[in-house]
Amino acid sequence: MAMTIHVDIVSAEGAIHSGLAAMLYAPGEMGELGIAARHAPLITRLKPGDVRVEDEHGQQEHFYVSGGMLEVQPDIATVLADTAIRAENLDEAKAFEAKRRAEDALAGQTAEFEYAKAQAELAEAIAQLRAIEKLRKMKGG
Amino acid sequence: MAGAKEIRTKISSIKSTQKITGAMEMVATSKMRKAQERMQASRPYAEKMLQVIRHLAKASPEYRHSFMAEQREIKRVGYIVVSSDRGLCGGLNSNLFRRLVAHIKEQKAQGIEPVFCTIGSKALAFFRRFGGKVEAQVTQLGDKPHIEDLIGTVKVMLNAFENGEVDAVYVVYNEFVNTMTQEPLIRQLVPLQAADDEDRPSGPIWDYIYEPDARLVLDSLLTRYIESLVYQAVVENGACEQAARRVAMKAASDNAGELIDDLQLVYNKARQAAITQELSEIVSGAAAVG
């Protein structure tokens, strides 16, 4: 019997593949990797590309990943696939964008958080909800 | 027939409101199911990540990431507040904000300053009304939130943490207990809390082969892990939103039904009174003639 390794491919938005494989091919950042059972523990980042899973009969299944991580243990390999295209400067741009949005949305307001006012208003809102609830119960009963 | 016409108009207007709330209830029910599925689907990734991070913690890596470092003295904290984009979901958002306000008050008593990042328009509107330092925000994620939309907002907080502008980051969201119950929850993101305290691994000490190197790999791994936690918070909050909306809309439809019944009764009485009056007028008129 051929030695197999358990391969899981998951992304944050869902599981993609799970099963036994004879061989796993992945586009590592330092070069293409072929992982068989009893591989030494390894963690690497993945480049966008093709992840191939080969079962005992030589059948290959292809999965495209836009990057991610690969973790290898002697009998288990996990591909943590990204669902977004990632790059350091791209992430920075997104962070900048999120900041700008906040500034736009909050232009001209005070920075001090008035929790007393907030608390009062929230208490009122909750009280209103409770009152409605009570009224309904009274009517029902 | 005084007032009968007005009552009739009122009844028909309440009926159309009832139709709307009924439709919204049904929409929320189907959306809730999908949101729950999404919640389930995001779990394996976070679990796998946690597994890898646990391996890492045990594997005695030569590099310790700042996210995994010991708790430093807390002077400022960051909150990532997850709320819904739309209202009409009962007390979901107000309960969450109330919990948050209580938490902030506690922190303020110890001289800890809060900083916020908001996800969803309700949270943004809340801080717009009450002030507060909002560093970043994202709204209109829709029913299918994507990690891509969250990267920026999370990054702002993680950057602030790494630069020492905040000393801890929390995510604030509603936890989906079941379809009837949602619990506001404040969860610490960084520094990562030691999941299980088996200080030294009992087995032989081993370490991963890192490609390209430990620092870069851990950097991307931990960033992704935290993003996935926030993503989970967002989808879970989404499921809560739909569940809460379903309950709120059901209550509204029921209330509308009750109101219609009451008004129908008033209407019938008014009609009856009018008929009686007409009859007595006819009878007395006939008597006067005869």
Side-chain angles (χ1 to χ4, degrees):
Chain A
M1 196 191 113
M3 279 205 301
T4 51
I5 181 164
H6 192 92
V7 176
D8 284 311
I9 305 179
V10 288
S11 81
E13 289 168 24
I16 298 168
H17 173 87
S18 176
L20 287 173
M23 220 30 199
L24 166 73
Y25 302 95
E29 204 174 63
M30 312 276 284
E32 182 85 5
L33 291 160
I35 310 283
R38 308 280 162 85
H39 195 284
L42 165 88
I43 286 190
T44 179
R45 295 205 291 204
L46 295 179
K47 286 191 300 197
D50 202 19
V51 172
R52 284 170 296 148
V53 180
E54 192 178 296
D55 68 12
E56 298 107 294
H57 314 295
Q59 294 277 351
Q60 286 198 353
E61 251 190 288
H62 293 253
F63 303 93
Y64 176 78
V65 295
S66 57
M69 312 282 299
L70 168 70
E71 188 237 359
V72 181
Q73 294 270 326
D75 49 7
I76 186 161
T78 311
V79 177
L80 301 157
D82 283 346
T83 48
I85 294 167
R86 307 293 296 255
E88 186 58 27
N89 48 5
L90 208 65
D91 286 6
E92 283 300 342
K94 280 193 180 127
F96 182 76
E97 180 64 19
K99 267 193 156 157
R100 197 191 51 75
R101 275 199 304 264
E103 277 160 20
D104 285 358
L106 298 164
Q109 55 107 248
T110 50
E112 186 58 29
F113 183 60
E114 295 178 59
Y115 61 85
K117 209 165 114 194
Q119 211 164 24
E121 188 159 306
L122 283 172
E124 200 184 307
I126 307 279
Q128 269 174 7
L129 279 168
R130 288 237 175 85
I132 292 167
E133 192 77 5
K134 234 180 225 167
L135 264 174
R136 266 187 55 220
K137 275 204 186 118
M138 263 167 61
K139 263 194 154 177
Chain B
M1 288 230 347
K5 192 156 185 290
E6 283 100 274
I7 296 172
R8 231 173 19 218
T9 338
K10 192 129 204 184
I11 289 177
S12 71
S13 108
I14 292 174
K15 267 191 184 150
S16 59
T17 309
Q18 193 187 26
K19 268 183 206 152
I20 295 168
T21 55
M24 280 181 85
E25 185 194 332
M26 280 189 277
V27 171
T29 310
S30 90
K31 277 192 181 168
M32 182 183 75
R33 223 192 48 239
K34 280 190 202 131
Q36 265 177 290
E37 278 163 20
R38 213 164 289 131
M39 210 169 90
Q40 306 291 345
S42 72
R43 284 220 171 112
Y45 183 77
E47 273 164 22
K48 282 283 163 207
M49 278 244 163
L50 193 64
Q51 221 175 314
V52 175
I53 287 168
R54 286 227 180 97
H55 278 309
L56 273 177
K58 277 194 194 161
S60 56
E62 66 264 41
Y63 163 72
R64 248 181 125 61
H65 196 276
S66 63
F67 294 168
M68 292 162 85
E70 302 289 302
Q71 192 101 32
R72 49 191 191 220
E73 198 200 341
I74 294 178
K75 291 199 194 71
R76 283 155 68 85
V77 289
Y79 294 93
I80 298 178
V81 186
V82 182
S83 74
S84 69
D85 268 328
R86 282 180 230 158
L88 293 179
C89 47
L92 186 79
N93 288 317
S94 14
N95 281 334
L96 184 74
F97 297 145
R98 195 167 57 138
R99 174 91 175 72
L100 175 65
V101 167
H103 196 262
I104 295 169
K105 202 172 178 186
E106 246 171 61
Q107 303 270 27
K108 272 218 167 153
Q110 298 165 36
I112 298 169
E113 286 294 316
V115 183
F116 308 97
C117 277
T118 65
I119 298 172
S121 21
K122 288 286 155 188
L124 185 67
F126 177 76
F127 289 113
R128 196 182 285 154
R129 244 179 309 152
F130 299 112
K133 206 162 172 253
V134 179
E135 289 283 347
Q137 62 105 348
V138 58
T139 54
Q140 305 303 332
L141 291 176
D143 295 325
K144 272 188 232 127
H146 293 297
I147 273 227
E148 189 159 7
D149 305 319
L150 304 173
I151 291 172
T153 311
V154 177
K155 178 116 184 133
V156 169
M157 268 298 165
L158 294 185
N159 280 353
F161 180 80
E162 273 184 280
N163 300 340
E165 287 159 31
V166 296
D167 305 301
V169 178
Y170 298 96
V171 61
V172 187
Y173 66 104
N174 281 292
E175 188 189 12
F176 191 91
V177 181
N178 56 44
T179 51
M180 299 304 285
T181 326
Q182 296 88 37
E183 280 289 327
L185 191 74
I186 298 178
R187 183 173 177 187
Q188 183 167 334
L189 284 179
V190 283
L192 284 173
Q193 280 156 329
D196 42 317
D197 256 322
E198 305 159 34
D199 267 345
R200 280 294 104 199
S202 47
I205 293 170
W206 55 276
D207 200 355
Y208 285 105
I209 305 167
Y210 298 94
E211 280 183 22
D213 66 64
R215 201 179 60 80
L216 285 174
V217 167
L218 265 175
D219 262 359
S220 12
L221 195 66
L222 286 169
T223 313
R224 278 171 179 72
Y225 177 61
I226 286 162
E227 276 163 9
S228 87
L229 289 182
V230 176
Y231 173 78
Q232 266 197 313
V234 170
V235 287
E236 194 155 344
N237 196 69
C240 288
E241 179 193 346
Q242 300 303 343
R245 177 163 303 130
R246 199 182 66 125
V247 172
M249 287 301 119
K250 178 146 180 38
S253 304
D254 291 351
N255 283 346
E258 274 170 38
L259 219 59
I260 289 171
D261 287 349
D262 290 353
L263 282 174
Q264 192 70 49
L265 210 65
V266 175
Y267 171 73
N268 287 349
K269 268 186 194 157
R271 199 178 65 118
Q272 202 59 55
I275 291 170
T276 314
Q277 198 190 348
E278 266 172 44
L279 269 179
S280 72
E281 272 165 17
I282 292 167
V283 170
S284 57
V289 172

